[in-house]
Amino acid sequence: LLNMHTDNDTQYEINNDAERSIFILCNLMILLASLIGDSIILISTIKYNAINLNKVMISVMKHMAVCDLIQTVFKVFPITFAFIADRWVMGELMCHVQYNISWFCSPVTVFLTTAMTTLKLILVKYPLRTCAWSTRLGHRISSAAWVLALGWYAPMLAGIMFYIRDTIHFSYQSYSCNYDLRSPVLPAWYTRYFLISTAVLSLVSYTIIAVTSLLLLIVARRIASHHRETLRWEGVITVLLTVGVLFISLLPYGVVAVTSTFGVQYTGTTRRAIGQLTNLNIVANFFVYSITVQSFRRFLRKKMSYLLFSMGLGTEKRQIHHQRPHQIPQPPKRQRPKQASSPVEEYPEVHSDDTINSVIELQQL
């Protein structure tokens, strides 16, 4: 079993049931929203071609959905159980996986967003030159983002596994796993590489995202003012909203990480809240596409209507199947019209022939 007693358990552990319930509820919502939303994105783009945007952009969206699902399964899922049990219950192997997946997938998301803004700017500015761009090009660019993130993280992963693998522990600050990065056995090159490479990649990536997003907005407004019919705003708005969610979710965490190195202290609740904010980028894409992409909204409405209709039809069939025989409504029986009654029938008490003859004579009169 993994040793749960860390140096910060008494200082940062959650002792308030209300706070624990809020974090558990947030994680469960993020878990379900990401699993359902990102799966719908992949199915709708791969099987139904439900997102009517450029093929290159759709390829990048697919890779972003895959990255979000990986983080949901290997990061959000075990941390949710940690909040529920107030300790790590997933084992040491999952503890290693959770930490490394978190650090590997975060730059993948940033690089894919960088590719999305840059590609969209080129598509809007040079529509004739980019009309031949294919899905394969989008997958190549997205794969390059994965390779770049792996190349950046590989030296750090090697240093962790070789020097401080045994220092893995559960941190009550974020309710996730961490290594002891201040261990004396960790070589100096690791710290220098980590600080310099992280700062350079973050600065370059966020600068490119901000500049290309601003240029995209300027070029789009210029084209719309001259040729309103040639610009589709839904693709531009999709990219801009994706960028906005990225900055909202990751920048506060970066600020806390940088200021902590200068001795700034944060409470455990603050660190956990900022950690939860990073998960916003995992679940936001489905809602962004639902708001901005009209073809995706039509696909969702169509599938939802079909699902509701199927559920309603199935309920009616089950109700008819479980009805008892005497409860099944029967069609009304047709009644034969009554024939004219004879005098004998009108007067059943009369039996003698004399009385019958008297009655006939009276009727003749």
Side-chain angles (χ1 to χ4, degrees), residues 86-103:
D86 198 29
R87 60 189 181 91
W88 187 260
V89 295
M90 303 299 290
E92 184 175 352
L93 177 61
M94 182 58 72
C95 203
H96 289 285
V97 172
Q98 179 264 310
Y99 177 89
N100 291 288
I101 285 294
S102 300
W103 276 96

Side-chain angles (χ1 to χ4, degrees), residues 8-194:
N8 54 22
D9 56 348
T10 57
Q11 182 179 359
Y12 296 105
E13 185 179 5
I14 299 177
N15 296 316
N16 188 346
D17 292 337
E19 180 183 350
R20 186 189 307 279
S21 300
I22 292 174
F23 281 116
I24 291 173
L25 180 61
C26 290
N27 276 271
L28 289 176
M29 292 176 61
I30 292 170
L31 185 66
L32 293 176
S34 178
L35 290 176
I36 297 174
D38 290 312
S39 299
I40 291 176
I41 291 174
L42 290 176
I43 294 173
S44 64
T45 53
I46 295 174
K47 185 177 181 180
Y48 297 99
N49 296 323
I51 297 181
N52 189 15
L53 295 177
N54 190 274
K55 295 180 180 180
V56 178
M57 300 295 296
I58 295 176
S59 300
V60 178
M61 292 177 178
K62 293 177 184 178
H63 285 264
M64 294 180 73
V66 171
C67 184
D68 293 340
L69 283 175
I70 292 174
Q71 294 184 83
T72 302
V73 174
F74 296 105
K75 175 187 173 184
V76 180
F77 181 73
I79 290 178
T80 303
F81 272 90
F83 276 114
I84 296 174
D86 198 29
R87 60 189 181 91
W88 187 260
V89 295
M90 303 299 290
E92 184 175 352
L93 177 61
M94 182 58 72
C95 203
H96 289 285
V97 172
Q98 179 264 310
Y99 177 89
N100 291 288
I101 285 294
S102 300
W103 276 96
F104 170 66
C105 287
S106 293
V108 172
T109 302
V110 175
F111 295 156
L112 288 174
T113 307
T114 306
M116 177 181 286
T117 57
T118 306
L119 290 172
K120 189 59 182 178
L121 176 61
I122 299 174
L123 287 169
V124 172
K125 191 173 179 59
Y126 305 105
L128 296 179
R129 299 181 184 179
T130 58
C131 60
W133 282 5
S134 62
T135 303
R136 181 176 298 180
L137 177 62
H139 284 301
R140 289 178 179 177
I141 295 174
S142 301
S143 300
W146 290 88
V147 173
L148 180 60
L150 181 61
W152 166 76
Y153 189 66
M156 290 194 295
L157 179 62
I160 289 172
M161 293 294 103
F162 188 78
Y163 293 104
I164 57 174
R165 176 186 175 88
D166 296 333
T167 64
I168 188 72
H169 63 277
F170 178 74
S171 174
Y172 281 96
Q173 294 186 23
S174 58
Y175 272 66
S176 61
C177 293
N178 279 323
Y179 295 98
D180 186 7
L181 299 178
R182 299 180 180 180
S183 175
V185 300
L186 196 64
W189 67 263
Y190 180 92
T191 304
R192 289 195 295 266
Y193 175 80
F194 173 75

